[in-house]
Amino acid sequence: MKPEATIVIPTFDHADTLYVSVRSAQLQTVRNVEIFIIGDGVPEATRSIVGELSADPRIRFFDNPKSPRHGEPYRHQALQEARGDIVCYLSDDDLYFPDHVEYMRSLLHGADFVNALPLVYDNGEFRILAVDLQQESNYHVIAQGYTGRFGLSYVAHTLEFYRRLPFGWHTTPGDIATDQYMWRQCLAVPDCRARSGFLPTVLRFPAPSRIQHTPRERRLELEEWLPRLLEPAQRERLRKNCLEYAVRSAAREMAEAVLFKASISGWSPAPIPGRSAGERQPAKIRTQSADLDELREIVAMQAEQLEIWQRSHEVQERTASEWERSYRELERRYSAMIGSPVWTIREKMLRVPVLGSGLKYAGRLLLRGTR
């Protein structure tokens, strides 16, 4: 039976988390999928884990040598063999909610390129990243590379759209993340129909903030979270918390933007009946006023430091000019000396063997006499 989706899981050295990530792909509500694990110079531990997982006939392992970046050309090669209608991606240290593929499939009806709501679990807290590809300004900001905003696991596209790309996955320049480079290529296609979903269906565990964690600790973290994502009540509770977080964040950003404009323009709120002058100013405004005073002090200090540096720079420039004048004077005197008649006669005498030896001997005697 032809698969409904191809799930691409690139991997390098996350052998421990890979096992749990792949489990989240295996446990999708859409069962008819193929799972491509694409190795990029993997260690033996990864091969051992893939061996355990290979009992699932939906899994294929592409074992490749290490590439210059993250094995992008290997993804392209594997996708030549893909049979799914849609292509989803999963980082080897992230987790799918069980309905991720189903949600991506629904978003891709009438679209080429989609993303789920980016949800990040970092330092014990959740963060969401606002992305709306239906908004033209947001679309162009991402397409033109001004911001990345979402990573590998959140994105899906149709296989047909991938085959229309100019070149697909290929080795990425060193100054940009591989997934962002790929998304920019997709969104640059003139007739790309892009859409954003506003439901979290992936939980991302960023590696940079876990650099001190052992591989076992990282695996245990994913093993702790996978059952929660699989359990319907906990999954829905997490999604409600995300909605609450989004509303609170939007309200905070709006208030901070208004208060910042107010602090710049000198605006102060009107008195509130029944409150004293000290009370009528909200704590947030008082806090931001103190922050603004502190910021002004920092700016003043930096301006003072800049003035000191400028004065020092002027002194250094004057010293350099004096050195250059001294050097030019020495150079002039040297040129005059070697061009003088006395110097010319000396040079000619040194070229005569007898006279030259005698002059050198006399010079050595004079040197001894001065010691």
Side-chain angles (χ1 to χ4, degrees):
M1 182 186 300
K2 183 177 179 294
E4 297 179 56
T6 301
I7 301 174
V8 173
I9 308 178
T11 189
F12 168 44
D13 61 353
H14 289 164
D16 291 81
T17 58
L18 175 67
Y19 183 85
V20 193
S21 293
V22 173
R23 286 291 296 152
S24 74
Q26 290 175 295
L27 296 173
Q28 291 296 294
T29 53
V30 177
R31 305 291 298 172
N32 183 24
V33 298
E34 58 181 2
I35 302 171
F36 287 0
I37 302 175
I38 303 176
D40 178 34
V42 300
E44 195 57 44
T46 298
R47 295 187 183 93
S48 176
I49 285 173
V50 172
E52 294 179 36
L53 295 167
S54 60
D56 186 339
R58 298 175 298 173
I59 292 177
R60 288 185 61 187
F61 179 46
F62 298 78
D63 196 357
N64 304 292
K66 187 71 189 78
S67 70
R69 287 291 308 271
H70 300 298
E72 304 93 305
Y74 302 143
R75 303 175 197 182
H76 180 72
Q77 293 168 13
L79 285 175
Q80 304 312 300
E81 303 181 37
R83 297 182 298 129
D85 294 325
I86 70 171
V87 178
C88 301
Y89 298 94
L90 176 62
S91 292
D92 59 6
D93 52 0
D94 293 343
L95 293 176
Y96 277 168
F97 288 42
D99 54 355
H100 174 74
V101 172
E102 182 179 353
Y103 185 57
M104 294 292 98
R105 184 179 61 180
S106 67
L107 287 176
L108 281 166
H109 286 158
D112 302 306
F113 180 97
V114 300
N115 70 275
L117 179 67
L119 173 63
V120 179
Y121 184 62
D122 218 358
N123 299 316
E125 296 183 348
F126 293 100
R127 289 186 291 110
I128 58 174
L129 305 176
V131 181
D132 184 5
L133 292 175
Q134 288 97 312
Q135 291 187 27
E136 186 174 356
S137 58
N138 198 217
Y139 181 100
H140 288 296
V141 160
I142 297 173
Q144 294 173 20
Y146 292 109
T147 179
R149 305 302 297 168
F150 50 84
L152 184 72
S153 301
Y154 305 116
V155 167
H157 53 72
T158 65
L159 184 60
E160 182 273 333
F161 175 69
Y162 182 82
R163 289 175 175 160
R164 286 195 280 123
L165 294 177
F167 38 77
W169 287 103
H170 69 290
T171 301
T172 306
D175 59 346
I176 184 173
T178 56
D179 49 3
Q180 304 310 326
Y181 188 61
M182 177 63 176
W183 307 156
R184 283 167 55 182
Q185 180 190 170
C186 292
L187 297 175
V189 174
D191 59 348
C192 174
R193 298 169 299 169
R195 177 183 300 166
S196 291
F198 306 109
L199 187 70
T201 56
V202 176
L203 186 55
R204 183 175 173 227
F205 301 83
S209 61
R210 293 167 169 78
I211 197 162
Q212 301 298 329
H213 293 198
T214 65
R216 174 175 169 76
E217 288 172 335
R218 295 212 63 194
R219 174 171 175 165
L220 288 174
E221 182 180 32
L222 268 64
E223 286 180 337
E224 178 185 353
W225 273 102
L226 183 57
R228 299 181 189 178
L229 301 183
L230 295 174
E231 205 280 313
Q234 293 194 53
R235 185 167 67 248
E236 293 313 308
R237 190 180 306 120
L238 176 57
R239 284 173 171 161
K240 288 179 181 177
N241 289 342
C242 288
L243 176 61
E244 180 181 345
Y245 174 88
V247 173
R248 288 181 181 275
S249 296
R252 182 178 65 251
E253 289 173 5
M254 179 187 70
E256 288 177 351
V258 171
L259 292 169
F260 178 75
K261 290 179 181 178
S263 66
I264 297 299
S265 64
W267 170 83
S268 59
I272 300 174
R275 292 192 182 183
S276 66
E279 290 177 331
R280 76 167 180 261
Q281 186 184 35
K284 185 68 176 180
I285 296 180
R286 292 198 298 272
T287 300
Q288 291 202 341
S289 177
D291 290 344
L292 187 60
D293 290 340
E294 183 180 352
L295 182 61
R296 285 178 179 139
E297 289 179 11
I298 293 171
V299 170
M301 290 173 59
Q302 289 179 339
E304 184 179 348
Q305 290 294 325
L306 179 60
E307 186 178 351
I308 293 170
W309 179 87
Q310 286 174 334
R311 287 200 299 269
S312 173
H313 182 64
E314 289 170 2
V315 170
Q316 289 175 350
E317 280 190 332
R318 285 198 299 271
T319 303
S321 297
E322 291 171 3
W323 285 350
E324 185 175 2
R325 283 196 298 272
S326 298
Y327 172 77
R328 297 300 179 196
E329 175 61 21
L330 288 171
E331 190 178 49
R332 185 192 63 76
R333 290 169 60 187
Y334 172 74
S335 298
M337 182 180 69
I338 63 174
S340 66
V342 174
W343 187 270
T344 304
I345 293 168
R346 173 188 174 276
E347 289 295 301
K348 289 180 179 179
M349 290 175 68
L350 285 173
R351 292 193 190 100
V352 177
V354 175
L355 290 175
S357 299
L359 287 171
K360 291 176 183 177
Y361 179 71
R364 284 198 292 270
L365 288 176
L366 287 171
L367 285 171
R368 286 177 188 170
T370 59
R371 291 176 182 169

